[in-house]
Amino acid sequence: VQFLREHIVPEARVHYAITNTGGDAPNVVQAEAEVVYLIRAPHNDQVKEVLERVDQIARGAAMMSGVTVDCEVEKACSNVLVNNALERLLSANLSTIPLPQYTTEELAYAKELQDTMPNRVTLAQRFAASMGEQGRKLGAMHDQQSIYSLVLPYRPSEKPVFGSTDVGDVSWVCPTSQIVVTTCAGGTPEHTWQMVAQGKSGPAHKGLLYAAKVLAATVIDLLEQPDQVQAAKQEHTERMS
């Protein structure tokens, strides 16, 4: 599978964990072993293609070593179908509803956590990658903040985000859109103790409430403007085709 990586789409990700080595005796061939693979790619058909290749490799390795192999699919989730009609409504409400305000203590706590992340990716770096020099300047303006407080301009994009979510499955059934809000110190990497440590902090709760207000306001817009609902449904139909 390691050698397969240069023969699949560069956006694909193939992660693995050896979850059962069969035992811990070093001088015997164990009766069984197990490995779990997580395969990701921008589109469902690409994932299916990589999955078939990984299964072929497993069967080939079994033939080569004179054993049997069983392949099981434990779970799967689809890529997210974006919906620009809903995104525009969400963006408008992100800009209309006041941003959370943070206390001196919250800002100081966030700065302490930032000091434990010397290699964190800055806003200037992130925005430069997606928006060029204009993005770099925008990010640099806010990088001195320990908790980022800004609303990004709406920029429709088909660029995949490298994460997996069952929201993707929902997006194949009905028009779906998402927002991302600040809930932690600027530059906090995911899957870290710093992210976990901030899960019940004041900024996390303030971000939660801000997101809820944006979603609720967007629901009101959809209830009061049936044409927006129709536009979202029409776009969904076109993307599904």
Side-chain angles (χ1 to χ4, degrees):
V1 174
Q2 302 296 74
F3 286 109
L4 175 65
R5 297 182 190 278
E6 61 181 291
H7 301 285
I8 57 180
V9 294
E11 296 83 7
R13 299 288 184 271
V14 184
H15 316 278
Y16 70 93
I18 299 173
T19 54
N20 176 16
T21 60
D24 54 14
N27 61 325
V28 298
V29 177
Q30 306 300 335
E32 64 179 18
E34 184 178 84
V35 60
V36 174
Y37 277 92
L38 175 61
I39 301 166
R40 301 195 277 193
H43 301 287
N44 290 349
D45 57 347
Q46 294 170 327
V47 174
K48 183 178 180 181
E49 180 182 344
V50 177
L51 169 65
E52 291 172 352
R53 297 288 298 277
V54 171
D55 284 350
Q56 286 176 345
I57 291 168
R59 288 190 287 267
M63 291 176 64
M64 183 175 66
S65 52
V67 299
T68 59
V69 62
D70 295 314
C71 301
E72 298 179 10
V73 176
E74 292 187 344
K75 65 173 184 176
C77 52
S78 303
N79 56 286
V80 177
L81 294 179
V82 302
N83 193 284
N84 298 144
L86 290 180
E87 287 177 351
R88 285 190 288 269
L89 288 176
L90 286 166
S91 177
N93 284 307
L94 280 167
S95 300
T96 301
I97 295 172
L99 291 170
Q101 301 297 309
Y102 305 106
T103 65
T104 303
E105 291 77 12
E106 289 170 341
L107 293 171
Y109 175 62
K111 180 63 171 62
E112 287 182 21
L113 281 166
Q114 281 186 326
D115 290 341
T116 70
M117 308 175 244
N119 299 318
R120 71 181 187 277
V121 178
T122 65
L123 273 186
Q125 292 170 317
R126 290 174 56 191
F127 292 174
S130 59
M131 293 183 278
E133 179 60 19
Q134 181 181 1
R136 188 195 66 77
K137 291 179 179 179
L138 176 63
M141 289 172 55
H142 296 271
D143 265 328
Q144 300 306 312
Q145 298 175 334
S146 58
I147 303 177
Y148 299 147
S149 185
L150 76 159
V151 176
L152 290 179
Y154 175 54
R155 295 171 58 89
S157 173
E158 301 292 332
K159 184 179 180 180
V161 176
F162 292 103
S164 296
T165 170
D166 52 9
V167 172
D169 299 319
V170 177
S171 74
W172 285 76
V173 179
C174 63
T176 306
S177 189
Q178 304 174 88
I179 56 174
V180 177
V181 304
T182 296
T183 57
C184 56
T188 304
E190 296 181 352
H191 309 299
T192 60
W193 69 262
Q194 290 95 335
M195 181 66 78
V196 175
Q198 299 175 79
K200 295 182 178 181
S201 67
H205 282 273
K206 289 177 179 179
L208 180 72
L209 291 172
Y210 173 64
K213 292 176 183 178
V214 173
L215 294 175
T218 303
V219 170
I220 293 172
D221 289 339
L222 292 168
L223 289 171
E224 293 181 343
Q225 305 172 47
D227 58 315
Q228 296 287 356
V229 177
Q230 189 57 40
K233 288 183 176 180
Q234 182 176 342
E235 181 180 346
H236 183 259
T237 300
E238 292 171 353
R239 292 185 182 276
M240 285 289 292
S241 64

